[in-house]
Amino acid sequence: MPNITTLKCTTCAKEYQPEELDYTCPICGPMRGTLEVLYDYDQLTKDLTKASLQQNHDFTHWRYLPLLPIIKKEYIQPLSLGWTPIYKTQDLAARLGMKNLWIKDDGRNPSASYKDRASSVAVVKTLEKKAPTITAASTGNAASSLAAFTAVAGLPTVIFVPQDAPKAKITQLLLFGAKVLRVQGSYDDAFDLCCTAAEKWGWYNRSTAINPYLGEGKKTGAFEICEQLQWQVPDYVFVAVGDGCIYQSLWKGFKEFHQIGLIDRVPKLIGVQAEGASPLVRAFVAGRDTAEPVQTDTFADSIAVGVPRDQVKALKAVRESNGRFIAVDDDEIKKAIALLAGKAGVLAEPAGATGMAGLMKMAQMSEIKSDESAVVLVTGNGLKDIDGVMQASEQQSVLVENDIADVAMKFKRLP
Ligand SMILES: *Cc1c(COP(=O)(O)O)cnc(C)c1O
């Protein structure tokens, strides 16, 4: 592969060539043996520079191609993704006692979540490997994202989701033409079933963490934060955490940009879980390097993960980055949805607003200083889960007669 040197096991550090295997280290197994994609960083220091980026007019995440695991560029699908807007917020920052707060809205990707960064890469890998079919287990967003890209590529796609995944995500899947299997069970059950099916029928598996290339797509959010903020790295980055793949990938992204000399420091990464699905918070607090499985209970469906598949890398990343994993409850997430919508004009699904809820909590506990800067990553659009998001609204609409007198009367009652 262009700049890739090896795939390195997160646990035993054994190195493999990319042609040797597709998923995880056979010695350490699926959970501990996730692979890290390593590049020729000396070469990249020459190839990927501020000057080269300044001359690059591709404002999608493919602008970072030298640091992506793509062999055949012709397999990149034309859906436009990445380089999502980053907003400096004044009012919102002031409310939290801060001066420098940015919201990066990844709900603006083609299927409306951060997962598009990973799926766009997975589709290229499927085509490169000439796999006949691709599959994924997902709480909903990874699947709907994959299905959007495979629709364009014309790739047969089989999806395993928990039976009660939000309707909008199922709708996306069906219209993008995926075969959708709703598993009677949790996301964690769907994950195991998907892996068994992939092995049985030889499908390429885009399920998170076991596939080393997904995180490569997901790290581009970190690259964009650096570049969009003119290389002024923020003190903190807040992001929601389920399996931990986005979290560890962001960390890898910042580390890589640091290593090739594009930034002179790295942020503290704050991973935010829903209290009802917080195995990584517990492991972090207990100082463990793996997580105990939990039963999940949260309305933030995208992060309702009881067995985080990228736990080893995520727990390593939190220590390396001097970051933290913290938990917020569903009410705190609802407040964050309302604040993001009401003050920044960004409608987030519950998991999409969870990073914000984490910042609100830390600000409230005076754990952020007023002169410290933060970026909050919004990972999914609110229209993906209207029933969930509606729970955050304090307002109700008012029904009026088609009559100005009735409007005059009822308008007065609106808060
Ligand atoms: C998947 C997802 C997350 C969490 O990502 P992980 O890699 O599972 O930690 C957060 N927010 C949204 C909207 C997601 O779809």
Side-chain angles (χ1 to χ4, degrees), residues 95-271:
R95 272 183 171 239
L96 301 174
M98 300 176 67
K99 294 187 204 88
N100 294 302
L101 170 61
W102 290 267
I103 306 293
K104 183 162 172 67
D105 183 11
D106 254 66
R108 290 277 298 270
N109 279 310
S111 83
S113 87
Y114 197 89
K115 298 294 195 293
D116 287 333
R117 295 180 186 270
S119 296
S120 60
V121 171
V123 168
V124 176
K125 297 320 283 180
T126 317
L127 294 169
E128 283 176 359
K129 286 175 192 298
K130 309 217 176 302
T133 298
I134 184 165
T135 189
S138 166
T139 55
N141 283 340
S144 55
S145 158
L146 178 63
F149 284 88
T150 57
V152 185
L155 260 176
T157 306
V158 187
I159 297 301
F160 294 78
V161 286
Q163 61 179 342
D164 45 10
K167 200 167 151 193
K169 298 178 188 181
I170 303 277
T171 306
Q172 284 183 298
L173 282 170
L174 295 172
L175 282 157
F176 289 141
K179 290 194 198 313
V180 184
L181 300 164
R182 286 168 54 232
V183 179
Q184 296 182 336
S186 65
Y187 163 64
D188 302 297
D189 298 322
F191 194 101
D192 291 334
L193 198 57
C194 173
C195 291
T196 308
E199 209 171 287
K200 188 171 166 75
W201 288 300
W203 302 335
Y204 187 65
N205 194 342
R206 179 249 181 262
S207 295
T208 203
I210 62 158
N211 187 314
Y213 300 112
L214 303 179
E216 295 308 291
K218 285 180 171 179
K219 73 189 179 187
T220 57
F223 297 164
E224 290 174 16
I225 290 172
C226 297
E227 209 185 342
Q228 288 175 315
L229 298 186
Q230 280 84 46
W231 312 106
Q232 299 299 308
V233 177
D235 294 303
Y236 293 96
V237 174
F238 286 80
V239 68
V241 175
D243 277 303
C245 184
I246 299 179
Y247 183 91
Q248 66 84 6
S249 308
L250 287 171
W251 175 237
K252 184 169 192 271
F254 285 115
K255 248 188 352 186
E256 287 181 335
F257 261 23
H258 190 250
Q259 189 164 352
I260 63 173
L262 289 173
I263 52 176
D264 55 11
R265 61 171 199 154
V266 289
K268 291 193 184 76
L269 275 191
I270 309 296

Side-chain angles (χ1 to χ4, degrees), residues 403-415:
D403 172 6
I404 195 69
D406 195 44
V407 172
M409 187 176 70
K410 288 181 179 155
F411 182 73
K412 273 191 247 158
R413 288 194 225 139
L414 287 173

Side-chain angles (χ1 to χ4, degrees), residues 50 83 104 119 180 277 285 303 325 339 407:
K50 288 181 190 172
W83 203 257
K104 183 162 172 67
S119 296
V180 184
V285 170
I303 49 173
F325 284 133
L339 198 65
V407 172

Side-chain angles (χ1 to χ4, degrees), residues 7-12 14-18 20-37 129 191 195 199 204-205 207-214 309-313:
L7 304 178
K8 184 175 167 190
C9 174
T10 315
T11 297
C12 75
K14 185 170 160 65
E15 298 190 7
Y16 300 90
Q17 284 307 303
E20 273 179 78
L21 76 187
D22 288 330
Y23 306 117
T24 52
C25 169
I27 302 164
C28 300
M31 198 80 81
R32 290 187 156 271
T34 51
L35 299 175
E36 189 175 7
V37 181
K129 286 175 192 298
F191 194 101
C195 291
E199 209 171 287
Y204 187 65
N205 194 342
S207 295
T208 203
I210 62 158
N211 187 314
Y213 300 112
L214 303 179
R309 303 290 163 166
D310 228 351
Q311 53 181 267
V312 177
K313 275 189 197 163

Side-chain angles (χ1 to χ4, degrees), residues 88-99:
K88 175 124 197 220
T89 68
Q90 300 296 354
D91 199 10
L92 194 51
R95 272 183 171 239
L96 301 174
M98 300 176 67
K99 294 187 204 88

Side-chain angles (χ1 to χ4, degrees), residues 298-311:
T298 172
F299 87 130
D301 69 291
S302 300
I303 49 173
V305 178
V307 183
R309 303 290 163 166
D310 228 351
Q311 53 181 267

